[in-house]
Coordinates of all heavy atoms in Angstrom, one line a residue:
M1 N 35.6 9.7 97.4 CA 35.4 8.8 96.2 C 34.7 9.6 95.1 O 33.7 10.3 95.3 CB 34.6 7.6 96.6 CG 34.6 6.6 95.5 SD 33.9 5.0 96.2 CE 33.3 4.3 94.8
A2 N 35.1 9.5 93.9 CA 34.6 10.2 92.8 C 33.2 9.6 92.4 O 33.0 8.4 92.6 CB 35.5 10.2 91.6
E3 N 32.4 10.5 91.9 CA 31.1 10.0 91.3 C 31.3 9.1 90.2 O 32.2 9.3 89.4 CB 30.2 11.2 90.9 CG 29.6 12.0 92.0 CD 28.5 11.2 92.7 OE1 27.6 10.7 92.0 OE2 28.5 11.2 93.9
P4 N 30.5 8.0 90.0 CA 30.6 7.2 88.8 C 30.4 7.9 87.6 O 29.6 8.9 87.5 CB 29.5 6.1 89.1 CG 29.1 6.2 90.5 CD 29.4 7.6 90.9
R5 N 31.0 7.5 86.5 CA 30.8 8.1 85.2 C 29.5 7.6 84.7 O 29.0 6.6 85.1 CB 31.9 7.8 84.3 CG 33.3 8.4 84.7 CD 34.4 8.0 83.9 NE 34.7 6.6 84.2 CZ 35.7 5.9 83.7 NH1 36.5 6.4 82.8 NH2 35.9 4.7 84.1
V6 N 28.9 8.4 83.7 CA 27.6 8.2 83.2 C 27.7 8.0 81.7 O 28.2 8.9 81.0 CB 26.6 9.3 83.5 CG1 25.3 9.1 82.9 CG2 26.5 9.5 85.1
A7 N 27.1 6.9 81.2 CA 27.0 6.7 79.7 C 25.6 6.7 79.3 O 24.7 6.1 79.9 CB 27.6 5.4 79.4
L8 N 25.3 7.5 78.3 CA 24.0 7.5 77.6 C 24.1 6.6 76.4 O 25.0 6.9 75.5 CB 23.5 8.9 77.3 CG 22.3 9.1 76.4 CD1 21.1 8.3 77.0 CD2 22.0 10.5 76.2
I9 N 23.2 5.6 76.3 CA 23.3 4.7 75.1 C 22.0 4.5 74.4 O 21.2 3.7 74.8 CB 23.8 3.3 75.6 CG1 25.1 3.4 76.4 CG2 24.1 2.4 74.4 CD1 25.6 2.1 77.0
P10 N 21.7 5.4 73.4 CA 20.6 5.2 72.6 C 20.8 3.9 71.8 O 21.8 3.7 71.2 CB 20.5 6.4 71.6 CG 21.4 7.4 72.3 CD 22.4 6.7 73.1
G11 N 19.8 3.0 71.8 CA 19.9 1.7 71.2 C 20.6 0.7 72.1 O 21.1 -0.3 71.6
G12 N 20.7 1.0 73.4 CA 21.4 0.1 74.3 C 20.6 -1.1 74.8 O 21.1 -1.9 75.6
A13 N 19.4 -1.3 74.3 CA 18.6 -2.4 74.8 C 18.9 -3.8 74.1 O 18.7 -4.8 74.7 CB 17.1 -2.1 74.5
R14 N 19.6 -3.7 73.0 CA 20.0 -5.0 72.3 C 21.3 -4.8 71.6 O 21.9 -3.8 71.5 CB 18.9 -5.3 71.3 CG 17.6 -5.6 71.8 CD 16.7 -6.2 70.7 NE 15.6 -5.3 70.4 CZ 14.8 -5.3 69.4 NH1 15.0 -6.2 68.5 NH2 13.9 -4.5 69.2
G15 N 21.8 -6.0 71.2 CA 23.0 -6.0 70.3 C 24.2 -5.4 70.9 O 24.5 -5.5 72.1
I16 N 24.9 -4.6 70.0 CA 26.2 -4.0 70.4 C 26.0 -3.0 71.6 O 26.8 -2.9 72.5 CB 26.9 -3.3 69.2 CG1 27.3 -4.3 68.2 CG2 28.0 -2.4 69.7 CD1 27.8 -3.8 66.9
G17 N 24.9 -2.2 71.5 CA 24.6 -1.3 72.6 C 24.5 -2.0 74.0 O 25.0 -1.5 75.0
R18 N 23.8 -3.1 74.0 CA 23.6 -3.9 75.2 C 25.0 -4.3 75.7 O 25.3 -4.2 76.9 CB 22.7 -5.1 75.0 CG 22.5 -5.9 76.2 CD 21.7 -7.2 75.9 NE 21.3 -7.9 77.0 CZ 22.2 -8.8 77.6 NH1 23.4 -9.0 77.2 NH2 21.8 -9.4 78.7
A19 N 25.8 -4.9 74.8 CA 27.1 -5.4 75.2 C 28.0 -4.2 75.8 O 28.7 -4.4 76.8 CB 27.8 -6.0 74.0
V20 N 27.9 -3.1 75.1 CA 28.7 -1.9 75.6 C 28.2 -1.5 77.0 O 29.0 -1.2 77.9 CB 28.7 -0.7 74.6 CG1 29.2 0.5 75.3 CG2 29.4 -1.1 73.4
A21 N 26.9 -1.5 77.2 CA 26.3 -1.1 78.5 C 26.8 -2.0 79.6 O 27.2 -1.6 80.7 CB 24.8 -1.2 78.4
L22 N 26.8 -3.3 79.3 CA 27.2 -4.3 80.3 C 28.7 -4.2 80.6 O 29.2 -4.3 81.8 CB 26.8 -5.7 79.9 CG 25.3 -5.9 79.8 CD1 25.0 -7.3 79.4 CD2 24.6 -5.6 81.1
A23 N 29.5 -3.9 79.6 CA 31.0 -3.8 79.7 C 31.3 -2.5 80.6 O 32.1 -2.6 81.5 CB 31.7 -3.7 78.4
L24 N 30.6 -1.4 80.3 CA 30.8 -0.2 81.1 C 30.3 -0.4 82.5 O 31.0 0.1 83.4 CB 30.1 1.0 80.4 CG 30.7 1.5 79.1 CD1 29.8 2.5 78.5 CD2 32.1 2.0 79.3
A25 N 29.2 -1.1 82.7 CA 28.8 -1.4 84.1 C 29.8 -2.2 84.8 O 30.0 -2.0 86.0 CB 27.4 -2.1 84.0
D26 N 30.5 -3.1 84.1 CA 31.5 -3.9 84.8 C 32.7 -3.0 85.3 O 33.4 -3.4 86.2 CB 32.1 -5.0 83.8 CG 31.1 -6.2 83.6 OD1 30.2 -6.4 84.5 OD2 31.2 -6.9 82.6
D27 N 32.8 -1.9 84.6 CA 33.8 -0.9 85.1 C 33.3 0.2 86.0 O 33.9 1.2 86.3 CB 34.5 -0.2 83.8 CG 35.4 -1.2 83.1 OD1 35.9 -2.1 83.7 OD2 35.7 -0.9 81.9
G28 N 32.0 0.0 86.5 CA 31.5 0.9 87.5 C 30.7 2.1 86.9 O 30.3 3.0 87.7
W29 N 30.4 2.1 85.6 CA 29.7 3.3 85.1 C 28.2 3.1 85.4 O 27.6 2.1 85.5 CB 29.8 3.3 83.6 CG 31.1 3.7 83.0 CD1 32.3 3.1 83.3 CD2 31.4 4.8 82.2 NE1 33.3 3.8 82.6 CE2 32.8 4.8 81.9 CE3 30.6 5.8 81.6 CZ2 33.4 5.8 81.1 CZ3 31.2 6.7 80.8 CH2 32.5 6.7 80.5
R30 N 27.5 4.3 85.5 CA 26.1 4.4 85.5 C 25.6 4.3 84.0 O 26.3 4.9 83.2 CB 25.6 5.7 86.1 CG 25.8 5.7 87.6 CD 25.3 7.1 88.1 NE 25.4 7.2 89.5 CZ 25.4 8.3 90.2 NH1 25.3 9.4 89.6 NH2 25.5 8.3 91.5
I31 N 24.5 3.7 83.8 CA 24.1 3.5 82.4 C 22.6 4.0 82.2 O 21.7 3.7 83.0 CB 24.1 2.0 82.0 CG1 25.5 1.4 82.3 CG2 23.6 1.8 80.6 CD1 26.6 2.0 81.4
A32 N 22.5 4.9 81.2 CA 21.2 5.3 80.8 C 20.9 4.8 79.4 O 21.6 5.0 78.4 CB 21.1 6.8 80.7
I33 N 19.9 3.9 79.3 CA 19.5 3.3 78.0 C 18.3 4.1 77.4 O 17.4 4.5 78.1 CB 19.0 1.9 78.3 CG1 20.1 1.0 78.9 CG2 18.4 1.3 77.0 CD1 21.2 0.8 77.9
A34 N 18.4 4.4 76.2 CA 17.3 5.0 75.4 C 16.8 3.9 74.4 O 17.6 3.3 73.7 CB 17.7 6.2 74.7
Y35 N 15.5 3.7 74.4 CA 15.0 2.7 73.5 C 13.8 3.3 72.8 O 13.1 4.3 73.4 CB 14.5 1.4 74.3 CG 13.4 1.6 75.2 CD1 12.1 1.4 74.8 CD2 13.6 2.1 76.5 CE1 11.0 1.7 75.7 CE2 12.6 2.3 77.4 CZ 11.3 2.1 77.0 OH 10.2 2.3 77.8
R36 N 13.5 2.8 71.7 CA 12.3 3.3 70.9 C 11.1 2.4 71.2 O 10.0 2.9 71.5 CB 12.6 3.5 69.5 CG 11.6 4.2 68.7 CD 12.0 4.6 67.3 NE 12.4 3.4 66.5 CZ 11.5 2.8 65.7 NH1 10.3 3.3 65.4 NH2 11.9 1.8 65.0
T37 N 11.3 1.1 71.0 CA 10.2 0.1 71.1 C 10.6 -1.1 71.9 O 9.7 -1.9 72.2 CB 9.8 -0.4 69.7 OG1 10.9 -1.0 69.0 CG2 9.3 0.8 68.8
S38 N 11.8 -1.2 72.3 CA 12.3 -2.4 73.0 C 12.2 -2.3 74.5 O 13.2 -2.5 75.2 CB 13.7 -2.8 72.5 OG 13.7 -2.9 71.1
R39 N 11.1 -2.0 75.1 CA 10.9 -1.8 76.5 C 11.4 -3.0 77.3 O 12.2 -2.8 78.3 CB 9.5 -1.4 76.8 CG 9.3 -1.2 78.3 CD 7.9 -0.9 78.7 NE 7.8 -0.4 80.0 CZ 7.0 0.5 80.5 NH1 6.1 1.0 79.7 NH2 7.0 0.9 81.7
Q40 N 11.0 -4.2 77.0 CA 11.3 -5.3 77.8 C 12.8 -5.6 77.8 O 13.5 -5.9 78.8 CB 10.6 -6.6 77.4 CG 9.1 -6.6 77.8 CD 8.4 -7.8 77.4 OE1 8.6 -8.3 76.3 NE2 7.5 -8.3 78.2
D41 N 13.4 -5.4 76.6 CA 14.9 -5.6 76.5 C 15.6 -4.5 77.3 O 16.6 -4.8 77.9 CB 15.3 -5.5 75.0 CG 14.8 -6.7 74.2 OD1 14.6 -7.8 74.7 OD2 14.5 -6.5 73.0
A42 N 15.1 -3.3 77.2 CA 15.8 -2.2 78.0 C 15.7 -2.5 79.5 O 16.7 -2.3 80.2 CB 15.1 -0.9 77.6
E43 N 14.5 -2.9 79.9 CA 14.4 -3.3 81.3 C 15.3 -4.4 81.8 O 15.8 -4.4 82.9 CB 12.9 -3.6 81.6 CG 12.0 -2.3 81.6 CD 10.5 -2.6 81.7 OE1 10.1 -3.8 81.7 OE2 9.8 -1.7 81.7
A44 N 15.5 -5.4 80.9 CA 16.4 -6.5 81.2 C 17.9 -5.9 81.3 O 18.6 -6.4 82.2 CB 16.4 -7.5 80.1
V45 N 18.3 -5.0 80.5 CA 19.6 -4.4 80.6 C 19.7 -3.6 81.9 O 20.7 -3.8 82.6 CB 19.9 -3.5 79.3 CG1 21.3 -2.8 79.5 CG2 20.0 -4.4 78.1
V46 N 18.7 -2.9 82.2 CA 18.8 -2.1 83.5 C 18.9 -3.1 84.6 O 19.8 -2.9 85.5 CB 17.5 -1.3 83.6 CG1 17.3 -0.8 85.1 CG2 17.5 -0.1 82.7
A47 N 18.2 -4.2 84.7 CA 18.3 -5.2 85.7 C 19.7 -5.8 85.8 O 20.3 -5.9 86.9 CB 17.2 -6.2 85.6
A48 N 20.3 -6.1 84.6 CA 21.6 -6.6 84.6 C 22.7 -5.7 85.1 O 23.6 -6.0 85.8 CB 21.9 -7.1 83.1
V49 N 22.5 -4.4 84.7 CA 23.5 -3.4 85.2 C 23.3 -3.2 86.7 O 24.3 -3.1 87.4 CB 23.2 -2.0 84.4 CG1 24.0 -0.9 85.1 CG2 23.6 -2.2 83.0
Q50 N 22.1 -3.1 87.2 CA 21.9 -3.0 88.6 C 22.4 -4.2 89.4 O 22.9 -4.0 90.5 CB 20.4 -2.8 88.9 CG 19.9 -1.4 88.4 CD 18.4 -1.2 88.5 OE1 17.7 -2.1 88.6 NE2 18.0 0.1 88.5
A51 N 22.3 -5.4 88.8 CA 22.9 -6.6 89.4 C 24.4 -6.5 89.6 O 25.0 -7.1 90.5 CB 22.5 -7.8 88.6
R52 N 25.0 -5.6 88.8 CA 26.5 -5.4 88.9 C 26.8 -4.3 89.9 O 27.9 -3.9 90.1 CB 27.0 -5.0 87.5 CG 27.1 -6.2 86.5 CD 27.2 -5.7 85.1 NE 27.7 -6.7 84.2 CZ 26.9 -7.6 83.6 NH1 25.6 -7.7 84.0 NH2 27.4 -8.5 82.8
G53 N 25.7 -3.8 90.5 CA 25.9 -2.8 91.6 C 26.0 -1.3 91.0 O 26.5 -0.4 91.7
C54 N 25.6 -1.1 89.8 CA 25.6 0.2 89.2 C 24.2 0.8 89.0 O 23.3 0.0 88.8 CB 26.4 0.1 87.8 SG 28.1 -0.5 88.0
G55 N 24.2 2.1 88.9 CA 22.9 2.7 88.6 C 22.5 2.5 87.1 O 23.4 2.5 86.3
A56 N 21.3 2.4 86.9 CA 20.8 2.3 85.5 C 19.4 2.8 85.4 O 18.6 2.6 86.3 CB 20.9 0.8 85.1
V57 N 19.1 3.4 84.2 CA 17.7 3.8 83.9 C 17.5 3.5 82.4 O 18.4 3.4 81.7 CB 17.5 5.3 84.2 CG1 17.6 5.6 85.7 CG2 18.4 6.2 83.4
A58 N 16.2 3.4 82.1 CA 15.8 3.3 80.7 C 14.7 4.3 80.4 O 13.8 4.5 81.2 CB 15.2 1.9 80.4
H59 N 14.9 5.0 79.3 CA 13.9 6.0 78.9 C 13.4 5.7 77.4 O 14.3 5.4 76.6 CB 14.6 7.4 78.8 CG 14.9 7.9 80.2 ND1 14.0 8.7 80.9 CD2 16.0 7.8 80.9 CE1 14.6 9.1 82.0 NE2 15.8 8.5 82.1
Q60 N 12.1 5.7 77.2 CA 11.6 5.6 75.9 C 11.8 6.9 75.2 O 11.4 8.0 75.6 CB 10.1 5.3 75.9 CG 9.5 4.7 74.6 CD 9.3 5.8 73.6 OE1 9.0 6.9 73.9 NE2 9.5 5.5 72.3
A61 N 12.5 6.9 74.0 CA 12.9 8.1 73.3 C 13.2 7.8 71.9 O 14.1 6.9 71.6 CB 14.0 8.8 74.0
D62 N 12.6 8.4 70.9 CA 13.0 8.3 69.5 C 14.0 9.4 69.3 O 13.7 10.6 69.0 CB 11.7 8.5 68.6 CG 12.0 8.4 67.2 OD1 13.2 8.4 66.8 OD2 11.1 8.3 66.4
V63 N 15.3 9.0 69.3 CA 16.3 10.0 69.3 C 16.5 10.6 67.8 O 17.4 11.4 67.6 CB 17.7 9.5 69.8 CG1 17.5 9.2 71.3 CG2 18.1 8.2 69.1
S64 N 15.8 10.1 66.9 CA 15.8 10.7 65.5 C 15.1 12.0 65.5 O 15.2 12.8 64.5 CB 15.2 9.7 64.5 OG 13.8 9.6 64.6
Q65 N 14.4 12.3 66.6 CA 13.7 13.6 66.7 C 14.5 14.5 67.6 O 14.7 14.2 68.8 CB 12.3 13.4 67.2 CG 11.4 12.6 66.3 CD 10.0 12.4 66.8 OE1 9.5 13.3 67.5 NE2 9.4 11.4 66.4
P66 N 15.0 15.6 67.1 CA 15.9 16.5 67.9 C 15.3 16.9 69.3 O 16.0 16.9 70.3 CB 16.2 17.7 67.0 CG 16.0 17.1 65.6 CD 14.9 16.1 65.7
A67 N 14.1 17.3 69.3 CA 13.5 17.8 70.6 C 13.4 16.6 71.6 O 13.7 16.8 72.8 CB 12.1 18.4 70.3
V68 N 13.1 15.4 71.1 CA 13.1 14.3 72.0 C 14.5 14.0 72.5 O 14.7 13.7 73.7 CB 12.5 13.1 71.3 CG1 12.6 11.8 72.1 CG2 11.0 13.3 70.9
A69 N 15.5 14.0 71.6 CA 16.9 13.7 72.1 C 17.3 14.8 73.1 O 18.0 14.4 74.1 CB 17.8 13.7 70.8
A70 N 17.0 16.0 72.9 CA 17.4 17.1 73.8 C 16.7 16.9 75.2 O 17.3 17.0 76.2 CB 17.0 18.5 73.3
G71 N 15.4 16.4 75.2 CA 14.7 16.1 76.4 C 15.4 15.0 77.1 O 15.4 15.0 78.4
L72 N 15.8 14.0 76.4 CA 16.5 12.8 77.0 C 17.8 13.2 77.7 O 18.0 12.9 78.8 CB 16.8 11.8 75.9 CG 17.6 10.6 76.3 CD1 16.9 9.7 77.4 CD2 18.0 9.8 75.1
V73 N 18.6 14.0 77.0 CA 19.8 14.5 77.6 C 19.5 15.3 78.9 O 20.2 15.1 79.9 CB 20.6 15.4 76.6 CG1 21.8 16.1 77.3 CG2 21.1 14.5 75.5
A74 N 18.5 16.2 78.8 CA 18.1 17.0 80.0 C 17.7 16.1 81.1 O 18.1 16.3 82.3 CB 17.1 18.0 79.6
A75 N 17.0 15.0 80.9 CA 16.5 14.1 81.9 C 17.6 13.4 82.6 O 17.7 13.3 83.8 CB 15.5 13.1 81.3
I76 N 18.6 12.9 81.8 CA 19.7 12.2 82.4 C 20.6 13.2 83.2 O 21.0 12.9 84.3 CB 20.6 11.5 81.3 CG1 19.7 10.6 80.4 CG2 21.8 10.9 81.9 CD1 19.0 9.5 81.2
R77 N 20.8 14.4 82.7 CA 21.6 15.4 83.4 C 20.9 15.8 84.7 O 21.6 16.0 85.7 CB 21.9 16.5 82.5 CG 22.9 16.1 81.4 CD 23.4 17.3 80.6 NE 24.3 18.1 81.4 CZ 24.6 19.3 81.2 NH1 24.1 19.9 80.2 NH2 25.5 19.9 82.0
A78 N 19.6 15.9 84.7 CA 18.8 16.2 85.9 C 19.0 15.1 86.9 O 19.0 15.4 88.1 CB 17.4 16.5 85.5
E79 N 19.0 13.9 86.5 CA 19.0 12.7 87.4 C 20.4 12.5 88.0 O 20.6 12.3 89.2 CB 18.6 11.4 86.7 CG 18.5 10.3 87.6 CD 17.6 9.2 87.1 OE1 16.9 9.3 86.1 OE2 17.6 8.1 87.8
W80 N 21.4 12.6 87.1 CA 22.8 12.2 87.6 C 23.8 13.4 87.4 O 25.0 13.2 87.8 CB 23.3 11.0 86.8 CG 22.7 9.7 87.3 CD1 22.2 9.4 88.5 CD2 22.4 8.6 86.5 NE1 21.7 8.2 88.5 CE2 21.8 7.6 87.3 CE3 22.6 8.3 85.1 CZ2 21.4 6.4 86.8 CZ3 22.3 7.0 84.7 CH2 21.7 6.1 85.5
G81 N 23.4 14.5 86.9 CA 24.2 15.7 86.9 C 25.3 15.7 85.8 O 26.0 16.7 85.7
R82 N 25.3 14.7 85.0 CA 26.4 14.7 84.0 C 26.1 13.6 83.0 O 25.4 12.6 83.2 CB 27.7 14.5 84.6 CG 27.8 13.1 85.4 CD 28.9 13.0 86.4 NE 30.1 12.6 85.7 CZ 31.3 12.4 86.3 NH1 31.3 12.7 87.7 NH2 32.4 12.1 85.7
I83 N 26.8 13.7 81.8 CA 26.9 12.6 80.9 C 28.3 12.6 80.4 O 28.8 13.6 79.9 CB 25.9 12.8 79.7 CG1 24.5 12.7 80.1 CG2 26.2 11.7 78.6 CD1 23.5 13.1 79.0
D84 N 29.0 11.5 80.6 CA 30.4 11.5 80.3 C 30.7 10.8 78.9 O 31.7 11.1 78.3 CB 31.2 10.7 81.4 CG 31.1 11.4 82.7 OD1 31.7 12.5 82.9 OD2 30.4 10.8 83.6
A85 N 29.8 10.0 78.5 CA 30.0 9.3 77.2 C 28.6 9.1 76.5 O 27.6 8.8 77.2 CB 30.7 8.0 77.4
L86 N 28.6 9.3 75.2 CA 27.5 9.0 74.4 C 27.9 7.8 73.5 O 28.8 8.0 72.7 CB 27.0 10.2 73.6 CG 26.0 10.0 72.5 CD1 24.7 9.5 73.2 CD2 25.8 11.2 71.7
V87 N 27.2 6.7 73.6 CA 27.4 5.6 72.7 C 26.2 5.4 71.8 O 25.2 5.0 72.3 CB 27.7 4.3 73.6 CG1 27.9 3.1 72.6 CG2 28.8 4.5 74.6
T88 N 26.4 5.8 70.6 CA 25.3 5.8 69.7 C 25.2 4.4 69.0 O 25.9 4.0 68.2 CB 25.5 6.8 68.6 OG1 25.7 8.1 69.2 CG2 24.3 6.9 67.7
A89 N 24.2 3.6 69.5 CA 24.0 2.3 69.0 C 22.6 2.1 68.4 O 22.2 1.0 68.1 CB 24.2 1.3 70.2
A90 N 21.9 3.2 68.3 CA 20.5 3.1 67.7 C 20.7 2.8 66.2 O 21.5 3.4 65.5 CB 19.8 4.5 67.9
G91 N 19.9 1.8 65.8 CA 19.9 1.4 64.4 C 19.1 2.3 63.5 O 18.3 3.2 64.0
P92 N 19.2 2.1 62.2 CA 18.3 2.9 61.3 C 16.9 2.5 61.4 O 16.5 1.4 61.7 CB 18.9 2.5 59.9 CG 19.4 1.1 60.1 CD 19.9 1.1 61.5
Y93 N 16.0 3.6 61.3 CA 14.6 3.3 61.3 C 14.1 3.2 59.9 O 14.4 4.0 59.0 CB 13.9 4.5 62.0 CG 14.4 4.7 63.4 CD1 14.8 6.0 63.9 CD2 14.4 3.7 64.4 CE1 15.3 6.1 65.2 CE2 14.8 3.8 65.6 CZ 15.3 5.1 66.0 OH 15.7 5.3 67.3
H94 N 13.3 2.2 59.6 CA 12.8 2.0 58.3 C 11.4 2.4 58.2 O 10.6 2.2 59.1 CB 13.0 0.5 57.9 CG 14.4 0.1 57.9 ND1 15.3 0.4 56.9 CD2 15.1 -0.6 58.8 CE1 16.5 -0.1 57.2 NE2 16.4 -0.7 58.4

């Protein structure tokens, strides 16, 4: 059996990012959520993905900073060995 695909979703704690995370989980994807300030929302998405039988993690990361974004990618790749899709759902920072 093939390893599940992995999606990295910055901004996946709420809104469209959350909806995409749950839809991909319904198709068996592992989900990595990156959030800046929405920890509780991110943890709720992780719980919902895990309830669907899929792997999920949440990382606090301000992806507007290149070094932080690179560290996030490295962390996900270290954990699951791959990233198959990047869904950019992070909103603008004011």
Side-chain angles (χ1 to χ4, degrees):
M1 187 168 158
E3 284 287 313
R5 292 174 288 181
V6 175
L8 171 56
I9 309 176
R14 294 192 248 165
I16 293 170
R18 179 184 187 281
V20 170
L22 297 179
L24 289 172
D26 286 339
D27 285 337
W29 286 62
R30 290 176 176 164
I31 305 297
I33 298 294
Y35 66 93
R36 192 169 60 95
T37 60
S38 305
R39 181 181 190 145
Q40 287 182 319
D41 293 326
E43 290 173 353
V45 174
V46 166
V49 169
Q50 291 172 339
R52 288 164 164 78
C54 298
V57 294
H59 291 269
Q60 194 284 325
D62 181 348
V63 297
S64 70
Q65 297 183 25
V68 173
L72 172 65
V73 168
I76 301 308
R77 291 186 73 198
E79 183 157 356
W80 286 329
R82 62 196 277 179
I83 296 173
D84 299 291
L86 171 64
V87 179
T88 305
Y93 302 127
H94 300 282

